[in-house]
Amino acid sequence: MSTPTVTEKSAAALIARFLKARGVDRLFALCGGHVMPTWMRLDAEGIRIVDVRDERAAVYMAHAHAELTGGLGVALVTAGPGVTNAMTGIANAHVSRAPVLVLSGTPPRAQENRGALQDMSHIAFVAPLTRYARTVREPDLVLQELDEAVARAFGQGGEPGPVFLDFPVDTLRAEVSAAVQLPERFVPTPRSRLLPDPESVRQAVDLLWSAKRPLVISGRGARGAGAELRQLLDRTGALYLDTGESRGLVGDDHPAVVAAMRGAVMQQADLIVTLGRKLDFQLAYGSPAVFGEAKFLRIADTAAELRDNRRGAAEILATPAEALRAIVATAGDRAPATDRAWAAETRRQHLARADKLASSMATAAPGSDGLMHPNRLVAALRDALPADAVVVADGGDFLSFARVGLPASTYLDPGSLGCIGVGTPFGVAAALACPGRLVLVATGDGSFGFNAMEIDTAVRHRAPALIVVANNGSWAIEVRDQQETHGKVVGTRLQFADHAAMARAFGAFGERVERAEDLPAAIARAKAALAEGRPAVLDVLVTPEAASSDAKSGLAWVPDLQPLAAWDDAERAWRARA
């Protein structure tokens, strides 16, 4: 039997050299014949292959790697079902604007469209979810297409996000002409910075400096603008809300932070400044039903975060850090009109609520079933977290508890797509990208089940993440919705499965915890395992009777006009008045 060779002059070898030159030292992948040439040349170039158990997890890991490092995340998946499995990960990266390069393969060109194994037109599937998608059949175009795809992933010429390239396997084995391997293709291009229009800046200053109750809300586009954001808050006295997309930009000790007063301050503000943040369902689509008569100042480097749902009285299309810097410089010594008494009182109420929450979490009563309240688990984790911990929150119900109760300077969650199941893959990637930092995955049992097999990946690659499963034996938000809305529970109960036993079977540390008083010692034992390079799983039984804030909000039953019941009522009343 003759086996095709893959030489150092092949397209596969060129792909590997390109990625190495662009700073890629690891990628996430699941092997298959249609990508084998690339796979072997990546190994030959010394690029670490983190082999996973499902292609969806490979893209999740590439996504988290990109978010945490600021670099390119790369996933390699095989043809056909490899690509279709990866599509949920691609969709989540698309919504999250994460720079991810997904590589795949196709049957040899002579076998295309003839019923070959895993023969499928991938581009038709992935094009709506990507910034760039191509099948590269000509070996001499491989380098050009790689260069273009990576530029698009980082938003050069548009919105950043995932890109996709696949190659017939005979193209991967074919030699590439030396003449087309121009050296400039291998050199990373500097990230472009978009400078603000001076007139737009002046309009923004007039709005912001004349506002009495200004509120700044940051999103994904604000990353990299932390210092400039803090300077603006200090200069104006504006209050501040982060979102999961931008957590950690402003520390909880900053006097502008009023997260515990989110609902009230959104209604009280007379100016809303969105900084790289869409007005999506999490912000009531910017509706006057929630934000009242407030004006909007919108700042973003992409149109998707500048004009969606609500136009601003002033808008700045620019790199957020540059826009903020220009605003402060243009304002000069002008005194802001911010009502300092309002700001101080709102901050005082925030601190009081935050202290009350911390106290109540530590003493939350168990359910009638005797199982601990999820807040007891959150409180124990909170006490054990170092300041530089990376927190990954996953799930529907437990995410709601963790999002509110766990502090984090570095934070990842499923995002606005609601893509539960990202927790363990995100945690694996985080543990590899952030050695020496504690990586906590706080997940519900339902969401854990999506990618629980990646515990095997974590063990094999010595990715010491602490995965804490809040095990309530159910899809809790849906159970509550069914009980309250329909009067019966259908297909939303799970087992109280022993996830710790499964973890031990894979070689990870695993322990089941049934009593709140046993949590501190169990967490300490898990952290000791992490210090040895082993991932750890704590399977913690919690009562399904506890109602999270999301479960109480009406989110599960999907109101017609707004995502939350209270907002939906307000929207109906506002529209009736109009």
Side-chain angles (χ1 to χ4, degrees), residues 384 438 462 464-466 508-511 520-538:
L438 188 146
R462 294 185 64 80
L466 170 57
F509 174 88
E511 183 172 339
I523 293 171
R525 287 188 289 270
K527 290 171 74 173
L530 302 182
E532 299 171 355
R534 296 172 65 200
V537 174
L538 293 181

Side-chain angles (χ1 to χ4, degrees), residues 150-406:
V150 172
R152 298 287 190 95
F154 283 115
Q156 295 174 13
E159 191 175 6
V163 294
F164 178 92
L165 294 177
D166 63 5
F167 312 85
V169 70
D170 58 324
T171 298
L172 292 173
R173 292 190 284 252
E175 292 190 0
V176 179
S177 303
V180 303
Q181 299 184 39
L182 301 174
E184 61 265 27
R185 295 284 191 190
F186 294 89
V187 179
T189 55
R191 306 286 174 84
S192 58
R193 301 184 72 79
L194 184 60
L195 298 179
D197 170 65
E199 180 56 32
S200 297
V201 171
R202 283 190 288 271
Q203 292 175 6
V205 169
D206 285 342
L207 268 179
L208 191 48
W209 260 253
S210 60
K212 295 184 182 300
R213 299 183 303 280
L215 173 66
V216 179
I217 305 176
S218 65
R220 182 171 306 278
R223 294 175 181 177
E228 292 81 3
L229 173 56
R230 291 188 293 273
Q231 184 181 25
L232 180 80
L233 295 173
D234 292 340
R235 183 72 180 81
T236 62
L239 295 182
Y240 172 71
L241 296 176
D242 67 7
T243 53
E245 300 177 349
S246 58
R247 197 141 166 209
L249 283 181
V250 179
D252 290 342
D253 58 348
H254 195 284
V257 173
V258 290
M261 296 293 293
R262 183 176 298 268
V265 76
M266 283 168 57
Q267 293 179 323
Q268 294 168 6
D270 63 357
L271 177 67
I272 307 296
V273 182
T274 62
L275 188 64
R277 185 61 167 89
K278 290 184 176 181
L279 287 169
D280 60 12
F281 76 95
Q282 298 175 30
L283 294 175
Y285 312 116
S287 173
V290 172
F291 289 98
E293 299 299 319
K295 295 180 180 179
F296 281 73
L297 166 58
R298 315 233 24 210
I299 303 170
D301 62 359
T302 175
E305 294 170 350
L306 193 72
R307 298 189 294 269
D308 66 309
N309 287 315
R310 186 78 182 266
R311 297 299 297 259
E315 297 170 349
I316 301 178
L317 180 61
T319 301
E322 299 290 348
L324 296 180
R325 196 177 297 120
I327 287 172
V328 171
T330 300
D333 295 332
R334 179 174 172 178
T338 302
D339 183 342
R340 301 284 180 163
W342 166 77
E345 175 59 17
T346 306
R347 170 69 176 175
R348 186 196 66 76
Q349 293 178 30
H350 156 78
L351 292 173
R353 283 192 179 183
D355 289 345
K356 182 179 179 180
L357 173 64
S359 176
S360 65
M361 286 194 317
T363 58
S368 63
D369 52 12
L371 297 177
M372 78 178 82
H373 194 287
N375 272 337
R376 292 293 298 273
L377 171 56
V378 173
L381 292 173
R382 184 186 182 110
D383 290 343
L385 282 181
D388 68 343
V390 179
V391 175
V392 179
D394 189 16
D397 198 58
F398 189 59
L399 170 63
S400 181
F401 291 106
R403 182 184 65 234
V404 174
L406 290 177

